[in-house]
Amino acid sequence: TKKKMANVNIDGKDYEFDNLSDKAKSTLVSLQFVQSELSKINAQLAAYKTAENAYKISLKKELEEQN
């Protein structure tokens, strides 16, 4: 049974991971790490924006009740 190599698609072109140079493999791993971290940061940002909007609504309601 022939083992299937993992393919990596970069800018629409497929590459076999095992055929990449060590430097390309290392750079790819670093790129994937950064993309993962950016995804986490974007999720946090969405949560903060939701909280910000909730605080604005709450503050507006409180200020309206004072007047």
Side-chain angles (χ1 to χ4, degrees):
T1 316
K2 188 174 180 182
K3 182 180 166 189
K4 183 173 172 68
M5 293 187 193
N7 282 345
V8 179
N9 187 294
I10 301 169
D11 292 334
K13 187 171 179 186
D14 286 330
Y15 300 88
E16 289 183 356
F17 183 81
D18 291 343
N19 291 341
L20 298 177
S21 68
D22 288 344
K23 184 175 181 181
K25 288 177 185 174
S26 175
T27 302
L28 177 60
V29 168
S30 295
L31 174 61
Q32 290 171 331
F33 170 77
V34 168
Q35 289 172 329
S36 174
E37 293 301 303
L38 283 169
S39 180
K40 291 176 191 175
I41 290 169
N42 283 326
Q44 288 179 325
L45 182 59
Y48 291 141
K49 285 187 177 288
T50 299
E52 178 187 35
N53 288 333
Y55 288 132
K56 285 180 181 178
I57 291 168
S58 179
L59 178 58
K60 182 178 178 182
K61 181 179 175 187
E62 180 64 27
L63 294 173
E64 287 172 353
E65 289 175 359
Q66 285 184 0
N67 293 331

